[in-house]
Amino acid sequence: INISYLVGSFDINNINGGIKMQHIEGSGSAYALNGNMNLVFDKNPTEDCYIGSLNGEIRVVFKPLLAAEFKLNTFNGEIFTDFEYEHMPHKQKVQQTTGKNMWKFDRSTHIQIGRGGPQIELDGFNGDMYIQKTRS
């Protein structure tokens, strides 16, 4: 799936192939089951986004003044970025079981870029993730 010049919200899925989106000015969800994800934003998202791939690389390019919180999930991949970032504390939930508090920790990595903002979740299983700045 190839999409260019998208303004507004999006919800795009592909089963056996990648998704390439360029000149994005919006927020939404994009998932490729067996393919690479390549998204280039002309305007950084102001709403939450979900971008995922089970068996593919995820590459997302943002404008340099990005302000967002990232939730990064990967099993067999590495995460790369050229943005300055800060680690955020792991999310945790308290569950009460037979009168005891049980703590459940989220296995994701959480980072903040810039002053924070919308949550951008990158969800990959087999493939590396790249969070990059626009070069121009």
PDB file of all heavy atoms in Angstrom, residues 45 65-70 88 111-119:
ATOM      1  N   PRO A  45       2.579  14.403  14.518  1.00  0.00           N
ATOM      2  CA  PRO A  45       1.246  14.087  15.028  1.00  0.00           C
ATOM      3  C   PRO A  45       0.897  14.883  16.286  1.00  0.00           C
ATOM      4  O   PRO A  45       1.761  15.129  17.133  1.00  0.00           O
ATOM      5  CB  PRO A  45       1.336  12.593  15.365  1.00  0.00           C
ATOM      6  CG  PRO A  45       2.512  12.080  14.622  1.00  0.00           C
ATOM      7  CD  PRO A  45       3.449  13.226  14.478  1.00  0.00           C
ATOM      8  N   LEU A  65      11.290  19.136  15.477  1.00  0.00           N
ATOM      9  CA  LEU A  65      10.743  19.605  16.753  1.00  0.00           C
ATOM     10  C   LEU A  65       9.672  18.666  17.309  1.00  0.00           C
ATOM     11  O   LEU A  65       8.693  19.102  17.902  1.00  0.00           O
ATOM     12  CB  LEU A  65      10.199  21.024  16.605  1.00  0.00           C
ATOM     13  CG  LEU A  65      11.249  22.082  16.263  1.00  0.00           C
ATOM     14  CD1 LEU A  65      10.610  23.444  16.061  1.00  0.00           C
ATOM     15  CD2 LEU A  65      12.331  22.137  17.331  1.00  0.00           C
ATOM     16  N   LEU A  66       9.878  17.382  17.176  1.00  0.00           N
ATOM     17  CA  LEU A  66       8.932  16.377  17.670  1.00  0.00           C
ATOM     18  C   LEU A  66       8.782  16.471  19.184  1.00  0.00           C
ATOM     19  O   LEU A  66       9.761  16.636  19.909  1.00  0.00           O
ATOM     20  CB  LEU A  66       9.435  14.976  17.293  1.00  0.00           C
ATOM     21  CG  LEU A  66       8.607  13.797  17.773  1.00  0.00           C
ATOM     22  CD1 LEU A  66       7.211  13.818  17.147  1.00  0.00           C
ATOM     23  CD2 LEU A  66       9.326  12.492  17.443  1.00  0.00           C
ATOM     24  N   ALA A  67       7.548  16.369  19.655  1.00  0.00           N
ATOM     25  CA  ALA A  67       7.225  16.310  21.077  1.00  0.00           C
ATOM     26  C   ALA A  67       6.215  15.187  21.253  1.00  0.00           C
ATOM     27  O   ALA A  67       5.058  15.317  20.854  1.00  0.00           O
ATOM     28  CB  ALA A  67       6.669  17.635  21.567  1.00  0.00           C
ATOM     29  N   ALA A  68       6.666  14.052  21.802  1.00  0.00           N
ATOM     30  CA  ALA A  68       5.779  12.895  21.932  1.00  0.00           C
ATOM     31  C   ALA A  68       6.312  11.933  22.981  1.00  0.00           C
ATOM     32  O   ALA A  68       7.487  11.976  23.344  1.00  0.00           O
ATOM     33  CB  ALA A  68       5.655  12.175  20.587  1.00  0.00           C
ATOM     34  N   GLU A  69       5.427  11.068  23.452  1.00  0.00           N
ATOM     35  CA  GLU A  69       5.804   9.961  24.312  1.00  0.00           C
ATOM     36  C   GLU A  69       5.677   8.694  23.482  1.00  0.00           C
ATOM     37  O   GLU A  69       4.675   8.495  22.793  1.00  0.00           O
ATOM     38  CB  GLU A  69       4.895   9.904  25.534  1.00  0.00           C
ATOM     39  CG  GLU A  69       5.038  11.110  26.424  1.00  0.00           C
ATOM     40  CD  GLU A  69       4.127  11.064  27.637  1.00  0.00           C
ATOM     41  OE1 GLU A  69       3.436  10.041  27.847  1.00  0.00           O
ATOM     42  OE2 GLU A  69       4.106  12.064  28.368  1.00  0.00           O
ATOM     43  N   PHE A  70       6.692   7.851  23.546  1.00  0.00           N
ATOM     44  CA  PHE A  70       6.717   6.628  22.747  1.00  0.00           C
ATOM     45  C   PHE A  70       6.600   5.408  23.635  1.00  0.00           C
ATOM     46  O   PHE A  70       7.254   5.316  24.670  1.00  0.00           O
ATOM     47  CB  PHE A  70       8.020   6.532  21.948  1.00  0.00           C
ATOM     48  CG  PHE A  70       8.053   7.396  20.731  1.00  0.00           C
ATOM     49  CD1 PHE A  70       8.349   8.739  20.826  1.00  0.00           C
ATOM     50  CD2 PHE A  70       7.773   6.875  19.480  1.00  0.00           C
ATOM     51  CE1 PHE A  70       8.380   9.544  19.716  1.00  0.00           C
ATOM     52  CE2 PHE A  70       7.801   7.664  18.349  1.00  0.00           C
ATOM     53  CZ  PHE A  70       8.111   9.006  18.472  1.00  0.00           C
ATOM     54  N   MET A  88      11.287   6.947  30.295  1.00  0.00           N
ATOM     55  CA  MET A  88      10.164   7.181  31.198  1.00  0.00           C
ATOM     56  C   MET A  88      10.009   5.946  32.072  1.00  0.00           C
ATOM     57  O   MET A  88      10.407   4.847  31.678  1.00  0.00           O
ATOM     58  CB  MET A  88       8.889   7.441  30.392  1.00  0.00           C
ATOM     59  CG  MET A  88       8.965   8.693  29.535  1.00  0.00           C
ATOM     60  SD  MET A  88       7.525   8.904  28.475  1.00  0.00           S
ATOM     61  CE  MET A  88       6.226   9.033  29.670  1.00  0.00           C
ATOM     62  N   ILE A 111       9.785   6.060  26.183  1.00  0.00           N
ATOM     63  CA  ILE A 111      10.685   7.203  26.089  1.00  0.00           C
ATOM     64  C   ILE A 111       9.887   8.459  25.776  1.00  0.00           C
ATOM     65  O   ILE A 111       8.765   8.384  25.258  1.00  0.00           O
ATOM     66  CB  ILE A 111      11.795   7.006  25.027  1.00  0.00           C
ATOM     67  CG1 ILE A 111      11.218   6.896  23.617  1.00  0.00           C
ATOM     68  CG2 ILE A 111      12.683   5.812  25.364  1.00  0.00           C
ATOM     69  CD1 ILE A 111      12.275   6.921  22.505  1.00  0.00           C
ATOM     70  N   GLN A 112      10.486   9.590  26.114  1.00  0.00           N
ATOM     71  CA  GLN A 112       9.884  10.878  25.780  1.00  0.00           C
ATOM     72  C   GLN A 112      10.853  11.647  24.916  1.00  0.00           C
ATOM     73  O   GLN A 112      12.040  11.740  25.210  1.00  0.00           O
ATOM     74  CB  GLN A 112       9.581  11.668  27.047  1.00  0.00           C
ATOM     75  CG  GLN A 112       8.991  13.035  26.768  1.00  0.00           C
ATOM     76  CD  GLN A 112       8.627  13.756  28.044  1.00  0.00           C
ATOM     77  OE1 GLN A 112       7.932  13.202  28.881  1.00  0.00           O
ATOM     78  NE2 GLN A 112       9.094  14.986  28.189  1.00  0.00           N
ATOM     79  N   ILE A 113      10.328  12.189  23.829  1.00  0.00           N
ATOM     80  CA  ILE A 113      11.107  13.039  22.946  1.00  0.00           C
ATOM     81  C   ILE A 113      10.519  14.440  23.041  1.00  0.00           C
ATOM     82  O   ILE A 113       9.299  14.615  22.995  1.00  0.00           O
ATOM     83  CB  ILE A 113      11.074  12.518  21.492  1.00  0.00           C
ATOM     84  CG1 ILE A 113      11.798  11.161  21.413  1.00  0.00           C
ATOM     85  CG2 ILE A 113      11.707  13.528  20.541  1.00  0.00           C
ATOM     86  CD1 ILE A 113      11.760  10.497  20.056  1.00  0.00           C
ATOM     87  N   GLY A 114      11.397  15.421  23.213  1.00  0.00           N
ATOM     88  CA  GLY A 114      10.922  16.788  23.385  1.00  0.00           C
ATOM     89  C   GLY A 114      10.207  16.939  24.708  1.00  0.00           C
ATOM     90  O   GLY A 114      10.540  16.290  25.697  1.00  0.00           O
ATOM     91  N   ARG A 115       9.195  17.764  24.730  1.00  0.00           N
ATOM     92  CA  ARG A 115       8.461  18.024  25.968  1.00  0.00           C
ATOM     93  C   ARG A 115       7.329  17.025  26.202  1.00  0.00           C
ATOM     94  O   ARG A 115       6.513  17.194  27.086  1.00  0.00           O
ATOM     95  CB  ARG A 115       7.945  19.458  25.961  1.00  0.00           C
ATOM     96  CG  ARG A 115       6.909  19.735  24.909  1.00  0.00           C
ATOM     97  CD  ARG A 115       6.511  21.206  24.840  1.00  0.00           C
ATOM     98  NE  ARG A 115       5.463  21.416  23.872  1.00  0.00           N
ATOM     99  CZ  ARG A 115       5.608  21.400  22.560  1.00  0.00           C
ATOM    100  NH1 ARG A 115       6.789  21.175  22.043  1.00  0.00           N
ATOM    101  NH2 ARG A 115       4.584  21.597  21.756  1.00  0.00           N
ATOM    102  N   GLY A 116       7.237  16.010  25.366  1.00  0.00           N
ATOM    103  CA  GLY A 116       6.152  15.031  25.498  1.00  0.00           C
ATOM    104  C   GLY A 116       4.941  15.503  24.723  1.00  0.00           C
ATOM    105  O   GLY A 116       4.909  16.617  24.197  1.00  0.00           O
ATOM    106  N   GLY A 117       3.969  14.664  24.627  1.00  0.00           N
ATOM    107  CA  GLY A 117       2.767  14.999  23.864  1.00  0.00           C
ATOM    108  C   GLY A 117       1.961  13.749  23.631  1.00  0.00           C
ATOM    109  O   GLY A 117       1.811  12.928  24.532  1.00  0.00           O
ATOM    110  N   PRO A 118       1.463  13.548  22.411  1.00  0.00           N
ATOM    111  CA  PRO A 118       0.665  12.362  22.139  1.00  0.00           C
ATOM    112  C   PRO A 118       1.504  11.097  22.293  1.00  0.00           C
ATOM    113  O   PRO A 118       2.728  11.130  22.190  1.00  0.00           O
ATOM    114  CB  PRO A 118       0.224  12.542  20.684  1.00  0.00           C
ATOM    115  CG  PRO A 118       1.230  13.452  20.090  1.00  0.00           C
ATOM    116  CD  PRO A 118       1.682  14.347  21.198  1.00  0.00           C
ATOM    117  N   GLN A 119       0.831   9.986  22.567  1.00  0.00           N
ATOM    118  CA  GLN A 119       1.536   8.707  22.650  1.00  0.00           C
ATOM    119  C   GLN A 119       1.616   8.094  21.265  1.00  0.00           C
ATOM    120  O   GLN A 119       0.619   7.972  20.567  1.00  0.00           O
ATOM    121  CB  GLN A 119       0.835   7.724  23.580  1.00  0.00           C
ATOM    122  CG  GLN A 119       1.591   6.393  23.633  1.00  0.00           C
ATOM    123  CD  GLN A 119       1.039   5.437  24.662  1.00  0.00           C
ATOM    124  OE1 GLN A 119       0.989   5.752  25.831  1.00  0.00           O
ATOM    125  NE2 GLN A 119       0.615   4.271  24.220  1.00  0.00           N
TER     126      GLN A 119
END
